[in-house]
Amino acid sequence: MTPRSPGPSCRRAVTPGQSSWMRFFSLFCPSIQADVILLVTCSIREKAEQAIWNRLRHLSALKARRQQQAGSPLRIGILGCMAERLKEEILHREKLVDIVAGPDAYRDLPRLLAVAESGQQAANVLLSLDETYADILPVQTSAGGTTAFVSIMRGCDNMCSYCIVPFTRGRERSRPIASILQEVRMLSDQGVKEVTLLGQNVNSFRDMSEVQFQSAAAPGLSRGFSTVYRAKPGGLRFAHLLDQVSRIDPEMRIRFTSPHPKDFPDEVLQLIQERHNICKQLHLPAQSGSTRVLEAMRRGYTREAYLELVHHVRDSIPGVSLSSDFIAGFCGETEEDHQQTVSLLQDVRYNVGFLFAYSMRETRAFHRLQDDVPAEVKQRRLQELIAVFREEAARANEAMVGQCQLVLVEGPSKRSALELCGRNDGNIKVIFPDAEVEDAAGCQALARAQPGDYVLVKVTSASSQTLRGVPLRRTTLSRSAACH
Ligand code: 5AD
Ligand code: SF4
């Protein structure tokens, strides 16, 4: 098993869909062949935890059936943030759970499983100051996959007042750069064409693993941004990592998520602009458009500073695609605050959005603020934000009609075997007919594009989430960059 996150699990774009673990269960549960079922959990909102409690109820029946049918027990483990947060409750309330392992305890799983084998409950929820799983390379489950995630740092020191992450994931720590580069090289050798660097605060990356890194100069924060912690001196920073990673394979696209808007010094923006294989796509989580609410959230910036950053990013990286996170109905949010968020969505016009209703967690806001926006008001505001976001995203995407976009093909489209699906540089889904196309070099016969190919697609229509177009030719990332 791999301790790496298969992707950012705490955030899903405003498209509804079946969760990956639901699919996992519909595949595995009918036959009950597994000896051990491990649930990787998320605590960021109450709904995510509720889903796990419901799932445990179903597993209880499965466990009994397995014992009856096969005579051997089915072991059940809860892993990740919910295990960290609710160890006692899980063990006592759900007697069927055999293993509870927090996000920093995955190395201990063999021992925990051995304890569980002996019929006892086993738990480890110790958080670590230095665990990055640097020496454990994940097993790629999809052979021939075109995209992969690479974890580069863990934890968060920001302490936004609504957020449970600093408590479940612990302090910020970065994986040594050498081990990240080794993993990206390995992925490149396997033919992976797109790597997303992952971390709770990916652009706060700060590798202190070697003595000589400790005296490196520290970059400043984005203008108008502050932190709750004192400036951290030294360490190899995100710009250095991005530079090194992007040099490994000129045919490999590089993305990263999730960044914090405070850590975008000019050298990072410049690098993104200059390198043809670093995608011109930034996630800039705003959370609210109201300075008053941002202060209550302890985000460390005002609406004006955030907007200034957006303008600076757009000036530095022309054509950049932007995405963001927003929370509707945070403690004390008035109708006026909500309207400020609506207007921020209109002003910025994001291409992708992740929008949530505030869900109270045991955080600073729980202890010091009142969750005083009624549930139905939160929902109404959330729906309004989603509607405005969609309208603006549709406009932003419509502006691409008639343009050529470079698409990395991922495979057949879900809706039709006659169409291919991939993503453009801005991470927007592009659908086009699976037809024979020529190679840009002009020396190869017509052929159909395969997963992992780059195809130049002329966009013919757009919605808030998808572009559609016609394929012009197969090409390469380097060749396409040279044409611009
Ligand atoms: N309620 C709702 N949304 C939350 N997020 C974090 N904590 C909460 C909460 N308590 C959202 C933020 C964050 C994203 C990963 O989840 O928007 O950026
Ligand atoms: Fe949570 Fe804020 Fe850290 Fe993001 S930056 S993980 S929202 S505490």
Side-chain angles (χ1 to χ4, degrees):
M1 82 151 278
T2 164
R4 290 282 155 64
S5 160
S9 59
C10 48
R11 190 185 282 104
R12 191 186 312 144
V14 290
T15 33
Q18 200 186 24
S19 69
S20 52
W21 63 265
M22 290 269 283
R23 283 194 294 275
F24 171 87
F25 272 106
S26 47
L27 282 176
F28 274 81
C29 286
S31 55
I32 336 171
Q33 284 168 352
D35 297 318
V36 180
I37 293 180
L38 302 176
L39 303 183
V40 183
T41 63
C42 170
S43 281
I44 201 143
R45 282 168 291 276
E46 201 185 341
K47 222 164 128 186
E49 287 187 353
Q50 204 47 56
I52 295 291
W53 288 124
N54 294 342
R55 188 52 50 181
L56 280 173
R57 239 151 272 140
H58 286 110
L59 285 178
S60 155
L62 269 185
K63 191 165 179 159
R65 206 170 340 138
R66 164 67 185 254
Q67 183 73 48
Q68 243 177 18
Q69 288 173 352
S72 59
L74 169 66
R75 306 284 178 204
I76 293 173
I78 298 286
L79 273 49
C81 289
M82 195 171 156
E84 191 64 49
R85 205 176 88 74
L86 298 172
K87 172 190 148 191
E88 300 293 334
E89 202 179 331
I90 293 168
L91 289 176
H92 295 132
R93 185 169 134 187
E94 300 291 338
K95 294 271 185 262
L96 81 156
V97 173
D98 304 285
I99 299 155
V100 171
D104 288 345
Y106 300 152
R107 280 177 208 271
D108 200 23
L109 275 174
R111 185 189 69 82
L112 295 172
L113 274 164
V115 174
E117 282 299 307
S118 73
Q120 297 169 53
Q121 287 184 313
N124 181 348
V125 290
L126 288 178
L127 281 176
S128 159
L129 286 178
D130 50 20
E131 178 62 89
T132 58
Y133 298 111
D135 54 331
I136 303 179
L137 295 185
V139 176
Q140 293 295 321
T141 47
S142 55
T146 54
T147 62
F149 290 99
V150 172
S151 171
I152 67 159
M153 57 84 65
R154 298 172 71 80
C156 177
D157 288 348
N158 287 323
M159 293 288 183
C160 301
S161 64
Y162 52 81
C163 185
I164 196 79
V165 167
F167 305 97
T168 56
R169 288 300 186 108
R171 302 299 302 268
E172 243 173 64
R173 62 225 110 113
S174 297
R175 180 176 167 192
I177 193 163
S179 109
I180 299 171
L181 297 179
Q182 184 200 355
E183 185 174 342
V184 176
R185 273 187 216 108
M186 185 191 81
L187 292 167
S188 163
D189 291 345
Q190 289 171 2
V192 167
K193 289 289 172 52
E194 180 182 295
V195 155
T196 304
L197 306 177
L198 270 190
Q200 269 88 45
N201 263 283
V202 80
N203 54 342
S204 304
F205 178 84
R206 179 167 160 266
D207 177 10
M208 295 282 276
S209 61
E210 295 190 27
V211 182
Q212 69 272 23
F213 299 168
Q214 295 174 8
S215 54
L221 294 176
S222 311
R223 194 158 4 133
F225 284 68
S226 63
T227 57
V228 291
Y229 54 82
R230 259 185 274 136
K232 297 174 186 174
L236 282 190
R237 301 296 179 128
F238 189 60
H240 184 89
L241 173 73
L242 208 49
D243 172 40
Q244 297 291 306
V245 169
S246 63
R247 285 174 193 275
I248 290 177
D249 180 348
E251 287 304 307
M252 180 187 262
R253 272 183 172 170
I254 312 297
R255 302 185 193 276
F256 54 90
T257 200
S258 174
H260 191 290
K262 71 180 162 54
D263 289 309
F264 278 117
D266 283 348
E267 64 234 62
V268 170
L269 300 179
Q270 245 164 38
L271 196 67
I272 297 172
Q273 159 59 13
E274 281 165 21
R275 287 290 150 82
H276 77 277
N277 60 341
I278 305 180
C279 292
K280 305 327 174 229
Q281 173 232 332
L282 284 195
H283 187 58
L284 291 180
Q287 313 298 357
S288 171
S290 153
T291 295
R292 216 179 61 80
V293 173
L294 288 168
E295 208 171 295
M297 289 176 162
R298 306 220 317 161
R299 288 291 291 173
Y301 52 86
T302 59
R303 172 192 175 91
E304 289 70 33
Y306 180 86
L307 275 172
E308 192 181 328
L309 176 68
V310 168
H311 294 140
H312 183 51
V313 164
R314 285 201 160 130
D315 286 346
S316 311
I317 313 169
V320 65
S321 162
L322 295 183
S323 58
S324 191
D325 294 349
F326 284 94
I327 299 177
F330 184 59
C331 308
E333 186 190 76
T334 62
E335 215 46 49
E336 159 78 35
D337 295 318
H338 169 62
Q339 287 308 323
Q340 294 262 306
T341 303
V342 168
S343 86
L344 188 76
L345 281 165
Q346 289 165 332
D347 287 357
V348 177
R349 190 171 286 174
Y350 298 96
N351 299 84
V352 177
F354 303 89
L355 308 158
F356 314 101
Y358 175 57
S359 160
M360 195 173 60
R361 318 273 62 215
E362 265 183 66
T363 61
R364 191 182 168 94
F366 170 81
H367 294 292
R368 304 196 182 196
L369 303 174
Q370 285 247 311
D371 183 18
D372 54 1
V373 179
E376 61 280 10
V377 176
K378 281 181 192 167
Q379 277 310 318
R380 194 252 303 148
R381 289 183 188 167
L382 176 64
Q383 294 314 318
E384 279 174 20
L385 296 184
I386 291 175
V388 173
F389 157 73
R390 287 215 169 119
E391 210 174 293
E392 297 298 332
R395 287 203 183 116
N397 291 347
E398 268 155 29
M400 284 184 248
V401 174
Q403 291 178 3
C404 289
Q405 295 283 317
L406 185 66
V407 178
L408 174 60
V409 179
E410 289 175 3
S413 121
K414 276 197 198 123
R415 297 232 173 109
S416 160
L418 302 175
E419 291 179 319
L420 289 174
C421 176
R423 283 179 187 269
N424 73 355
D425 184 275
N427 213 15
I428 298 170
K429 203 190 271 180
V430 185
I431 314 266
F432 58 93
D434 184 3
E436 288 194 325
V437 277
E438 66 176 23
D439 185 82
C443 51
Q444 283 178 22
L446 290 177
R448 284 159 63 185
Q450 300 299 314
D453 282 350
Y454 288 101
V455 176
L456 211 54
V457 174
K458 182 160 185 180
V459 180
T460 51
S461 68
S463 72
S464 64
Q465 270 143 21
T466 316
L467 303 174
R468 288 186 163 272
V470 287
L472 300 181
R473 55 186 174 274
R474 283 174 295 130
T475 183
T476 65
L477 196 52
S478 323
R479 210 184 288 142
S480 149
C483 296
H484 283 98

